[in-house]
Amino acid sequence: MGKDKQKLLSPFWAGAEVQVDPGPPRLFASKDANTHVVVLGSGAVAPNPYKNGPAGAVVVNKQPYLIDAGEGVWRGFAKAATAHDGLLADSLDPTKITKLFLTHLHSDHTVGLPSLMFLPWCYARSEPLTIYGPVGTERLVSSITDAYHGDIQERLYGPEAEAKNSTGWKTIVHEIAETGLVFEDENVKIEAFHHTHGSFAQNFGYRFTTRDRVIVWAGDGQTSDSFFEASKNADVLFCELSTVDDLGNAVWGGSTFEEKQKIIWAYHLKPQELAQFASDANVKKIVLIHECNYSDPYENEALLEELKRDYSGEAISSRDADVH
């Protein structure tokens, strides 16, 4: 975008990030792997035409286990299912969207929740959506169900009723009160761990242990003892990160640099912190999600390069529909 055109935009939209396509999704894992992890949304809070809000799925034996429900997550399924020659097309069928694990209740991680509750039902899901999340999840889900009462009634009793099952819109909520095992089946063991994110009393990440891999999806937040224990020897750590170099360009956190330092570091991780943490935990690969990259002029991998100054292991800046 030229400078003359930038002048026509408000400061919010003049940032280069919303103008730069990071490129097509990539396949990092073997197609024959038992476990795949797909990034359904690599973005953060700011709207971006190339990045959905935070979301992902661990896919084991063609069964997806979802993490978070950022804006655009339903569309993210379509992009991921049609990428990589349809590698995950069967795995991401709407009828299989039945298990969701929420890291915390910030709106950027949950605003896509109505999509996952109701839209798969429109396409034949009959099993209720089971949701695991912090205390407060039950209230959130109940409120959404009440808000969509008219939609539910129309689909149950309107002209399309005969084509609809009566169960696929329902939800089952399991609130997580503390760290530890939260789910286990023949495919995966899922353990929750706590770490600090602002003043949230409960903010979780998840460790997925499958037959062939250990995956840690950290969500948002700072390091902690339980986060460290969960990350030990992980094959892949999916983790948020914020810039130190370009913090002054942040579009949130206050009007002064000092205010931004105080507020942003109450919520997020610095590159040097993540580098030390991952090295100490013997993490095999880091995948950055929810990147707060405020480089100007904007560079897609500026935040990744900050991390690599202090981290010698494998690290990747994610794109929507990447598969690991």
Side-chain angles (χ1 to χ4, degrees):
M1 173 181 282
K3 291 184 178 179
D4 291 340
K5 189 173 182 181
Q6 279 188 322
K7 291 178 181 178
L8 300 176
L9 299 175
S10 70
F12 189 89
W13 298 113
E17 183 176 8
V18 299
Q19 307 295 334
V20 177
D21 186 341
R26 300 154 297 179
L27 176 62
F28 294 99
S30 166
K31 288 186 176 182
D32 297 325
N34 182 62
T35 303
H36 292 100
V37 189
V38 59
V39 178
L40 298 171
S42 61
V45 181
N48 187 309
Y50 306 107
K51 298 182 178 184
N52 292 323
V58 176
V59 179
V60 191
N61 294 326
K62 295 190 175 183
Q63 175 62 50
Y65 302 83
L66 282 58
I67 312 111
D68 284 341
E71 186 177 27
V73 62
W74 179 238
R75 310 297 179 195
F77 271 90
K79 183 171 184 176
T82 55
H84 316 300
D85 298 322
L87 173 66
L88 297 180
D90 291 342
S91 303
L92 300 180
D93 185 277
T95 61
K96 294 186 176 182
I97 302 174
T98 60
K99 294 175 180 62
L100 170 65
F101 299 80
L102 297 176
T103 59
H104 63 295
L105 301 184
H106 261 151
S107 52
D108 60 313
H109 290 253
T110 58
V111 74
L113 189 50
S115 298
L116 299 183
M117 290 170 62
F118 304 120
L119 297 183
W121 175 43
C122 297
Y123 294 93
R125 182 182 70 194
S126 59
E127 183 179 339
L129 176 65
T130 301
I131 303 173
Y132 297 79
V135 173
T137 301
E138 178 67 60
R139 179 181 180 182
L140 174 63
V141 171
S142 177
S143 297
I144 292 171
T145 303
D146 286 346
Y148 282 86
H149 174 79
D151 176 81
I152 296 167
Q153 293 301 301
E154 170 63 21
R155 297 187 191 280
L156 283 174
Y157 305 111
E160 64 175 325
E162 289 187 7
K164 281 280 179 293
N165 63 73
S166 61
T167 53
W169 63 273
K170 297 181 179 181
T171 55
I172 300 169
V173 175
H174 297 278
E175 292 194 331
I176 303 169
E178 57 188 25
T179 61
L181 181 67
V182 295
F183 178 85
E184 188 170 14
D185 65 9
E186 66 277 7
N187 293 323
V188 63
K189 178 172 73 172
I190 303 176
E191 299 164 282
F193 60 87
H194 183 268
H195 53 143
T196 302
H197 185 48
S199 59
F200 267 116
Q202 291 182 306
N203 178 73
F204 295 106
Y206 296 99
R207 177 183 171 103
F208 295 77
T209 303
T210 72
R211 187 183 69 190
D212 56 338
R213 302 174 81 189
V214 173
I215 308 295
V216 175
W217 191 284
D220 294 358
Q222 301 166 326
T223 60
S224 69
D225 290 343
S226 60
F227 182 8
F228 181 77
E229 290 300 315
S231 300
K232 281 184 177 179
N233 302 312
D235 292 291
V236 191
L237 167 62
F238 291 80
C239 190
E240 59 106 321
L241 195 63
S242 293
T243 178
V244 170
D245 288 358
D246 298 299
L247 192 71
N249 299 329
V251 294
W252 71 286
S255 57
T256 68
F257 182 73
E258 289 71 23
E259 288 175 336
K260 290 175 182 179
Q261 281 188 309
K262 180 179 179 180
I263 293 172
I264 291 174
W265 301 133
Y267 287 94
H268 297 296
L269 267 172
K270 300 176 182 178
Q272 191 171 21
E273 292 174 333
L274 178 57
Q276 187 65 56
F277 176 88
S279 297
D280 291 346
N282 193 34
V283 170
K284 295 181 180 64
K285 180 169 75 170
I286 297 173
V287 177
L288 299 182
I289 53 175
H290 197 290
E291 293 183 51
C292 293
N293 174 358
Y294 305 119
S295 56
D296 185 17
Y298 183 79
E299 295 289 342
N300 276 322
E301 296 195 343
L303 188 52
L304 179 64
E305 292 307 314
E306 274 191 70
L307 174 66
K308 286 184 174 180
R309 289 180 205 155
D310 299 290
Y311 185 66
S312 59
E314 184 179 3
I316 295 167
S317 174
S318 63
R319 303 173 187 173
D320 285 15
D322 277 355
V323 174
H324 296 269

